[in-house]
Amino acid sequence: MKRLIKNGILVDSDGQYAQDLLIENGIICQRAANIEPGADCEIIDASGCYVMPGGIDVHTHFNIDVGIARSCDDFFTGTRAAACGGTTTIIDHMGFGPAGCNLHHQLHLYHQYAAGNAVIDYGFHGVIQHINDGILDEMAGMVHDEGISSFKLYLTYHYKVSDAEVLRALWQLRRVGALTTVHPENDAAIAFRRSALVAAGKTAPIHHAQSRPLECEAEAIGRMINLARLADNAPLYIVHLSNGLGLDYLRLARQRQQPVWVETCPQYLLLNEQCYLREDGAKYILSPPLRNQQELDRLWLGIADGSIDTVATDHCSFPYHQRLALAAGDFTRCPNGLPGVENRMLLLFSHGVMSGRISPSRFVALTSGNPARLFGLWPRKGNLNLGADADVVMIDPRQSTVINHRQLHDNADYSPYEGFHCQGALVLTLCRGEIVARNGEFTGQQGYGQFLRRRPFDSQITAKMG
Ligand code: URP
Ligand code: ZN
Ligand code: ZN
Ligand code: ZN
């Protein structure tokens, strides 16, 4: 089966081109001006539209059990929503398993969750819930036999790891060719502030934000940067950055040529802590929390000046009614996380590209090219080069979209972006050449998604990030 995308503006991380794109057997096989359609070729007219690499969302939590609740999107509903939002690959975070379990235990479980369900391609990040010799031994096999070339550490929550464990993990992961990713928040500082707030009866959603101010996060970012340097300059990726101070620490590390990268998410660019003062403030409880407008502005500067590398969603959905039932007015009992996997591409396109903050190429770098390079998917994904998977999203900048949860495809009962006006509309999403979404409607198939064995971390590939 051949498909020819004609008359569009092709965009990749390097630039934009008036070219057509020919797809055969799910692969990009020609890219040139005015390609003539052969026999049996479906023509897709992309006049006036951007034709870009499908989105790669490297931060989701489908089907995750956080102890007090299980997130309401599984690998079917979560990837369906992703596809409708222009994303063609996700890398999900394996959740914590039973106390003492090893890395392969969670890997087998996650393969069971995803196989036969995912509608787009997927990989997993390993999760480190404790460190011992056995876990360190397992890491090489995870990278080279299982295709898991990134691992996440949490510095807070139930399975937080100590600095000593962090050092051992960083050192070994660098050695076996994996990227260490981290949720950086200072757990002791949060516990200290939370107990004072709770003792004073301050348990409303705004107190969630007050329990973990940006210094809790920035301190942990600074610490992780220094620990990574001490661990033989291990490569480090900071997830869900929410503030400018943390970004300043990262800029400083970069000036010292340290291999560090950072992700932010649409919620930290577009929602501020005023949300917690709304009647439905519990909808916005996540960690790190939403910050004030000054931090949002600082993150936008980082998006524009190249100091932020990726935009992912951290999609982790708990319905509003469940949040209310569990929390009953007490933020400490509310599961943390926001839905958003379907909105990332259009939000960043509208508020980034259409508002003139970033170029279309930078948009591609943030949403697809850089994630592919960092997480072992390049050159198969993250670009429109010959031989790459035909993962494509078509965006029409002339149309506009108003976000309305009733039209989304996740399993949550709300969107944090309800009523947001976006300039642009997602017209088509193709995953390996198959049309998985058209005009916001799902047209794919449950189980079509393939597990991606990712390549080991490669500093030559990350050297060319956009
Ligand atoms: O509050 C959040 N972000 N929940 C999802 C898990 C995590 O911390 O990434
Ligand atoms: Zn996190
Ligand atoms: Zn997360
Ligand atoms: Zn829904």
Side-chain angles (χ1 to χ4, degrees), residues 74-152:
D74 58 20
F75 278 81
F76 174 55
T77 62
T79 57
R80 180 182 61 186
C84 294
T87 289
T88 50
T89 297
I90 57 110
I91 307 181
D92 197 75
H93 286 91
M94 295 185 223
F96 297 128
C101 80
N102 64 16
L103 299 174
H104 284 84
H105 177 278
Q106 287 306 88
L107 179 62
H108 292 143
L109 189 66
Y110 270 70
H111 275 306
Q112 284 169 21
Y113 288 162
N117 281 318
V119 310
I120 54 170
D121 293 349
Y122 60 94
F124 307 124
H125 300 286
V127 62
I128 295 182
Q129 60 189 61
H130 60 286
I131 288 287
N132 57 35
D133 291 347
I135 298 282
L136 293 171
D137 282 347
E138 263 189 292
M139 286 174 174
M142 290 286 281
V143 175
H144 298 284
D145 306 332
E146 308 287 357
I148 307 293
S149 54
S150 52
F151 291 79
K152 172 122 170 242

Side-chain angles (χ1 to χ4, degrees), residues 174-458:
R174 189 196 71 83
R175 221 179 59 85
V176 301
L179 178 61
T180 301
T181 81
V182 64
H183 172 130
E185 282 188 298
N186 183 313
D187 189 68
I190 295 166
F192 172 75
R193 292 185 62 93
R194 186 174 45 217
S195 50
L197 286 161
V198 170
K202 296 181 171 176
T203 58
I206 187 66
H207 301 122
H208 168 71
Q210 292 171 7
S211 73
R212 41 210 322 147
L214 64 86
E215 290 78 8
C216 297
E217 183 186 353
E219 183 282 333
I221 291 173
R223 178 162 33 113
M224 279 304 299
I225 288 170
N226 288 313
L227 294 179
R229 195 167 177 92
L230 293 168
D232 244 354
N233 224 14
L236 177 68
Y237 178 88
I238 304 290
V239 304
H240 53 42
L241 178 78
S242 73
N243 75 85
L245 180 60
L247 188 56
D248 286 342
Y249 290 153
L250 284 150
R251 288 187 175 115
L252 205 55
R254 288 231 177 103
Q255 283 168 21
R256 301 170 72 203
Q257 315 300 326
Q258 198 174 330
V260 289
W261 296 275
V262 62
E263 156 198 300
T264 190
C265 311
Q267 57 269 32
Y268 299 120
L269 294 167
L270 297 169
L271 303 172
N272 68 33
E273 68 182 4
Q274 294 295 314
C275 293
Y276 295 122
L277 298 171
R278 293 168 43 152
E279 192 190 357
D280 59 354
K283 285 180 180 170
Y284 302 91
I285 290 183
L286 88 165
S287 296
L290 304 177
R291 306 296 189 192
N292 67 32
Q293 189 58 41
Q294 193 182 11
E295 302 308 321
L296 276 64
D297 296 342
R298 288 181 172 163
L299 293 183
W300 275 115
L301 287 178
I303 291 280
D305 74 10
S307 41
I308 291 176
D309 302 289
T310 66
V311 174
T313 61
D314 194 14
H315 181 97
C316 186
S317 47
F318 302 99
Y320 182 46
H321 68 82
Q322 184 189 29
R323 290 165 177 265
L324 289 182
L326 285 170
D330 179 351
F331 76 83
T332 66
R333 293 198 299 221
C334 183
N336 285 205
L338 294 191
V341 74
E342 190 164 347
N343 306 119
R344 175 183 69 127
M345 298 290 278
L346 198 53
L347 285 171
L348 190 67
F349 181 80
S350 175
H351 295 265
V353 178
M354 296 307 286
S355 68
R357 287 169 161 134
I358 55 173
S359 68
S361 292
R362 175 83 175 126
F363 169 82
V364 169
L366 287 162
T367 56
S368 182
N370 292 348
R373 287 180 182 275
L374 282 161
F375 290 98
L377 296 171
W378 189 274
R380 177 173 170 190
K381 305 244 183 227
N383 61 78
L384 299 175
N385 297 336
L386 302 193
D389 281 359
D391 294 344
V392 179
V393 59
M394 246 169 75
I395 301 183
D396 186 343
R398 299 159 300 184
Q399 297 182 46
S400 60
T401 308
V402 178
I403 295 178
N404 172 343
H405 181 259
R406 282 198 306 268
Q407 285 160 10
L408 301 181
H409 299 79
D410 60 44
N411 237 346
D413 58 357
Y414 74 100
S415 166
Y417 308 105
E418 188 70 29
F420 266 58
H421 288 252
C422 295
Q423 186 55 43
L426 295 161
V427 179
L428 212 59
T429 312
L430 289 90
C431 179
R432 278 180 283 107
E434 292 304 317
I435 298 174
V436 292
R438 191 192 292 272
N439 297 323
E441 290 304 320
F442 178 58
T443 57
Q445 260 181 25
Q446 187 164 8
Y448 173 75
Q450 291 179 354
F451 173 67
L452 299 167
R453 278 174 192 278
R454 295 181 290 121
R455 297 152 70 122
F457 175 81
D458 184 337

Side-chain angles (χ1 to χ4, degrees), residues 6-21:
K6 274 196 87 61
N7 308 321
I9 308 160
L10 258 60
V11 186
D12 60 24
S13 307
D14 303 323
Q16 55 190 68
Y17 312 87
Q19 287 181 333
D20 300 341
L21 197 69

